Amino acid sequence: MSVIEQPGKRIAVISGGGGGIGRACCQRFADEGWTVVVADIDIDSARETERLCGGVSRRLDLASLDDIRAFAESLVADFGRVDALVNSAAWFHQAKPAEEITYDDWNRTFDVCVRGPYFLSVLVATAMARRGRGSVVNLASTAGVRSAPLHAYAPAKAALINMTECLAAEFGRSGVRFNAVTPSLTETPALLDSLARGERFVPDVEQHTALGRFVSPAEVAEAVFFLASEESSAITGVNLPVDAGSLQTASWQMFGGLRTTSIQPEVEA
């Protein structure tokens, strides 16, 4: 029996599932027995996630409204329903002065990070509303709530957070919940490669996060799964930071940086 023919299994659709946080989300849902639809513009990466996690891989270009509509229609035709949608796909540009941001930078970033997720979410949530239940989780960023030299990406993520709140109010009475998860620096292959190439610079991660470390993709996926599941049935419209406390540390730099508590944990012998 194929994945599509298995009745009764919960269905999770994850855009950007071909790698990074998206792939970790696919694995988390698969571990709980969900059928995962791995959607990515890079179909080879999507198929690799399918190989690792099971499910079904599909190509999806969030910059194309026609592609989004055809994809949403195929979900209804093939699965009959969607229980959770995770918008993890993103388009990231390097940090650079505002005057160097191009029109194409801005449009591509907003297409993938805001416009595409909006129209995909509305199409999927409309189908969810007909069943009276469903959950949408958007992957935002700490760049969307604090200033950063990412002059298209940061505003796009801020818009995604606000979009989440608007749609939570719009669809709430229909039983469809919308929430956002906001990671900070997450140890994805893309970030590690960027650091290795010198395109991003983190001088002292211990001084920029309360927990003194990066976030793992699995930790982000855990928060995503919680908000998508019935364990969070009364939660909608929230933005949940999964950032190792990075949002809490900026003002501490004016006072000499974070301090390490003098209290030592008691470790049993």
Side-chain angles (χ1 to χ4, degrees):
M1 181 181 290
S2 71
V3 172
I4 293 177
E5 293 170 339
Q6 293 178 19
K9 291 196 73 171
R10 289 171 293 180
I11 309 296
V13 177
I14 300 172
S15 75
I21 292 172
R23 178 172 287 175
C25 289
C26 291
Q27 186 65 65
R28 184 67 184 87
F29 280 86
D31 288 346
E32 293 293 331
W34 290 51
T35 293
V36 177
V37 180
V38 186
D40 205 291
I41 193 171
D42 184 344
I43 189 59
D44 290 335
S45 295
R47 286 170 178 157
E48 177 62 14
T49 300
E50 177 186 349
R51 186 187 70 80
L52 294 170
C53 307
V56 178
S57 55
R58 297 283 172 84
R59 186 182 185 279
L60 173 63
D61 181 1
L62 284 172
S64 168
L65 183 56
D66 289 341
D67 210 31
I68 291 168
R69 285 173 173 160
F71 177 77
E73 289 171 1
S74 74
L75 293 175
V76 175
D78 291 342
F79 300 98
R81 73 182 197 283
V82 172
D83 298 287
L85 168 65
V86 179
N87 285 306
S88 179
W91 180 264
F92 184 82
H93 63 82
Q94 297 305 319
K96 51 188 173 181
E99 65 271 18
E100 294 181 14
I101 295 290
T102 68
Y103 202 74
D104 287 342
D105 285 335
W106 187 273
N107 282 344
R108 182 66 179 174
T109 302
F110 269 77
D111 279 345
V112 178
C113 295
V114 184
R115 294 190 188 101
Y118 176 82
F119 287 104
L120 179 60
S121 294
V122 170
L123 288 170
V124 172
T126 298
M128 288 175 171
R130 295 191 183 103
R131 298 177 58 242
R133 62 186 182 277
S135 178
V136 179
V137 182
N138 293 318
L139 266 297
S141 167
T142 52
V145 293
R146 292 289 189 274
S147 174
L150 303 167
H151 297 294
Y153 181 81
K157 289 300 186 178
L160 184 67
I161 293 168
N162 185 264
M163 183 191 91
T164 301
E165 296 172 348
C166 292
L167 293 178
E170 179 78 17
F171 281 92
R173 298 297 177 89
S174 301
V176 181
R177 298 182 296 111
F178 278 79
N179 292 291
V181 170
T182 284
S184 60
L185 290 172
T186 306
E187 288 183 302
T188 62
L191 173 66
L192 297 177
D193 288 346
S194 180
L195 291 172
R197 291 192 301 267
E199 295 171 350
R200 301 180 75 176
F201 180 59
V202 183
D204 186 355
V205 68
E206 291 188 358
Q207 281 297 314
H208 288 82
T209 64
L211 298 184
R213 61 177 178 83
F214 289 117
V215 175
S216 75
E219 289 173 316
V220 181
E222 193 68 39
V224 169
F225 182 77
F226 167 70
L227 289 174
S229 73
E230 286 303 306
E231 296 298 317
S232 61
S233 57
I235 301 175
T236 194
V238 307
N239 177 34
L240 175 61
V242 181
D243 66 341
S246 66
L247 289 174
Q248 317 309 322
T249 65
S251 61
W252 283 68
Q253 306 311 313
M254 295 186 294
F255 299 92
L258 294 176
R259 297 188 297 270
T260 301
T261 179
S262 60
I263 301 172
Q264 298 299 315
E266 297 179 2
V267 180
E268 293 184 5

